[in-house]
Amino acid sequence: MHQIVRTAARWRAVLSVPGDKSISHRALLFGALASGRSRITRVAPGRDVASTADCLSSLGVRIEREDGNAVVVHGRGPSGLSAPAHDLDAGNSGTTIRLLSGILAGRPFPSVITGDASLRRRPMRRIVEPLERMGGRIETSPEGTAPLRIRGTRLTGADLTLPVASAQLKSCVLLAGLLAEGRTSVTEPAMSRDHTERMLDGMGVRIRRDGLRLELEGPQTPRSCDFDVPGDISSAAFLMVAAACIPESELTIENVGVNPTRTGILDALRRMGCPIEELNPRTLQGEPRADLRIRTASLSGTDIDGDLIPKIIDEIPVLAVAACRARGRTVVRDAAELRVKETDRIAAVARNLSAMGVRAEMFEDGFAIVGPQPLRGAVIDSMEDHRIAMAFTVAGLLAEGETRIEGTECADISYPGFFDLLSGIEYA
Ligand code: S3P
């Protein structure tokens, strides 16, 4: 599939975005480990979260879909999971394969988890090594990738220091620790998104934080809990950058999750000169949320690096688009993790910016763009990566002439309805 995108002006709208993908995965997984019934509302409707639900169903967990995006998970505690009859398919979803591996490594049955071609290229040794330190037995391909063949053994807690700030890795070992015997501690080099800690805490799990170190004692069974998922700030980011750059725009996005480990895009846009308002701030079930109001602004370049990177990691492709509009130099460094996302996102940004006539300097761990530079309509390759497809759709809204985005079906991974929403705003 492809989409044609044309220059936009005067975006005026009040809207909402789908539920947060990271929180939705966790609500399903933790609900399955709990004993009792957890009702989750505004679950992310995309394909990634459907992969988690399908894997859980294959493990014997009953998940009932209600009207809208509500689901009820009937948890029967960790021992309620049963051996799957076939290989589990995590599709495109890194969060599904990594978090589920942490759970399955310590269950008393074998399992195999695999995924699509993109997921089968992504690094899995980073989870296998710490799980092995806890007694886990997991085989990868010779390249250290999926399929993962999990033997299923009794795990014991360990003290682990992680080499990268990755919430998927941290959550994988926390879940393994939750079901293992004894104490597990995890220390990460910088703070990654902390939904796992917040949500487990809300489900009665005793988990302590001391700076970048987390500690819990296993085994523990979470309490079932109803959960209302806030809007996904990573999806809102595309609309925020569009509204900041499209002339004479004002956009309000209601009920967006503003957990401080996720709000790097707000920090970055504010530093670039776009004053984003946070209206009606409130916290529900440990996760802060607010309505975000964005108006068109004249942007200037900024530096994005260090501890800010994990807080903005998924928004960097669309930030590159904002950088083309900003006066001066925008430099992103310390973001080598982008090379191992759904695609190599540094290479994908370089290739598509160049197709649109933008000169950018690329580094192993980031890029530099000196703006403002005009964007020219072009043919864009999504590389089957949802965030690349949507970031360059925003570029198309800002470009002169027509942009054709190839391979747009991948937007359904995190944001089904993205293109319908855009045509609705444009012609409203
Ligand atoms: C996620 C963590 C991030 C992010 C991904 C979702 C999660 O990856 O890029 O889209 O749900 O835990 P890291 O594991 O690199 O933090």
Side-chain angles (χ1 to χ4, degrees):
M1 253 164 68
H2 73 272
Q3 294 281 339
I4 301 293
V5 186
R6 299 191 181 85
T7 325
R10 257 184 87 80
W11 262 22
R12 303 269 160 153
V14 177
L15 45 82
S16 57
V17 291
D20 187 272
K21 184 158 80 69
S22 287
I23 295 177
S24 300
H25 283 297
R26 288 164 172 78
L28 291 171
L29 291 164
F30 305 168
L33 292 179
S35 41
R37 181 181 176 277
S38 299
R39 184 163 184 271
I40 310 160
T41 44
R42 288 189 251 223
V43 175
R47 274 193 274 143
D48 264 8
V49 172
S51 295
T52 290
D54 291 347
C55 288
L56 287 172
S57 301
S58 303
L59 291 161
V61 179
R62 188 151 74 87
I63 298 176
E64 260 177 280
R65 274 158 238 275
E66 297 188 337
D67 287 347
N69 286 316
V71 302
V72 176
V73 182
H74 296 267
R76 287 187 292 127
S79 57
L81 300 181
S82 50
H86 50 75
D87 293 359
L88 300 169
D89 183 2
N92 193 242
S93 174
T95 305
T96 307
I97 196 168
R98 294 197 174 112
L99 271 59
L100 204 52
S101 298
I103 294 172
L104 293 178
R107 295 300 82 210
F109 52 78
S111 52
V112 177
I113 318 185
T114 189
D116 69 7
S118 152
L119 192 63
R120 281 186 275 110
R121 283 192 295 270
R122 298 181 64 185
M124 294 297 151
R125 281 204 183 106
R126 54 175 63 189
I127 59 162
V128 171
E129 281 164 11
L131 291 174
E132 281 175 347
R133 294 234 357 244
M134 300 175 77
R137 296 171 71 183
I138 301 166
E139 254 175 59
T140 65
S141 75
E143 293 74 40
T145 54
L148 301 180
R149 289 171 200 289
I150 302 176
R151 187 72 72 80
T153 46
R154 190 180 290 270
L155 301 185
T156 41
D159 293 317
L160 303 162
T161 300
L162 307 181
V164 280
S166 157
Q168 293 176 355
L169 172 49
K170 171 178 68 180
S171 304
C172 168
V173 295
L174 283 174
L175 289 169
L178 182 72
L179 308 182
E181 283 297 327
R183 195 191 66 198
T184 294
S185 76
V186 190
T187 305
E188 46 179 355
M191 180 89 170
S192 65
R193 62 190 67 187
D194 66 354
H195 306 301
T196 295
E197 302 89 292
R198 285 176 188 247
M199 293 172 73
L200 288 179
D201 179 68
M203 297 173 88
V205 169
R206 291 172 304 284
I207 178 164
R208 288 174 297 279
R209 173 176 283 286
D210 179 11
L212 295 172
R213 182 172 187 277
L214 288 159
E215 189 181 288
L216 57 71
E217 201 78 38
Q220 294 187 54
T221 299
R223 264 198 321 257
S224 61
C225 170
D226 289 348
F227 210 88
D228 181 66
V229 181
D232 196 327
I233 192 167
S234 298
S235 299
F238 301 109
L239 308 176
M240 287 193 259
V241 169
C245 298
I246 294 171
E248 293 178 62
S249 298
E250 180 179 311
L251 189 66
T252 304
I253 314 175
E254 292 178 324
N255 191 31
V256 180
V258 288
N259 175 317
T261 60
R262 293 286 298 282
T263 47
I265 186 66
L266 301 184
D267 302 340
L269 286 173
R270 283 175 179 145
R271 280 198 208 167
M272 294 172 90
C274 178
I276 300 171
E277 289 173 77
E278 287 176 53
L279 310 170
N280 303 318
R282 60 232 184 245
T283 295
L284 269 184
Q285 292 134 344
E287 288 286 350
R289 49 184 91 198
D291 304 334
L292 302 179
R293 178 164 302 151
I294 306 100
R295 295 191 182 85
T296 312
S298 69
L299 302 181
S300 38
T302 189
D303 290 344
I304 310 285
D305 50 30
D307 289 355
L308 182 55
I309 293 296
K311 300 185 173 71
I312 194 176
I313 190 74
D314 291 338
E315 291 69 68
I316 291 175
V318 77
L319 185 83
V321 175
C324 300
R325 279 301 181 95
R327 185 161 300 281
R329 192 171 154 90
T330 297
V331 184
V332 173
R333 294 305 305 240
D334 305 323
E337 277 293 296
L338 290 174
R339 300 256 178 216
V340 291
K341 293 291 177 187
E342 284 82 331
T343 187
D344 174 344
R345 287 186 174 156
I346 294 180
V349 164
R351 170 178 173 164
N352 287 320
L353 284 181
S354 155
M356 299 186 90
V358 173
R359 287 178 314 282
E361 190 185 347
M362 305 321 286
F363 312 120
E364 192 44 41
D365 66 345
F367 51 81
I369 297 169
V370 180
Q373 292 190 50
L375 289 151
R376 281 199 312 263
V379 177
I380 296 297
D381 182 354
S382 72
M383 322 284 288
E384 296 177 43
D385 180 324
H386 54 132
R387 303 219 191 270
I388 296 298
M390 291 188 275
F392 281 88
T393 298
V394 174
L397 295 169
L398 307 179
E400 284 161 34
E402 196 174 275
T403 296
R404 180 184 167 105
I405 319 275
E406 299 286 359
T408 46
E409 56 281 357
C410 60
D412 286 356
I413 290 289
S414 58
Y415 201 157
F418 176 71
F419 290 101
D420 293 341
L421 174 87
L422 292 195
S423 37
I425 310 180
E426 272 204 82
Y427 304 113

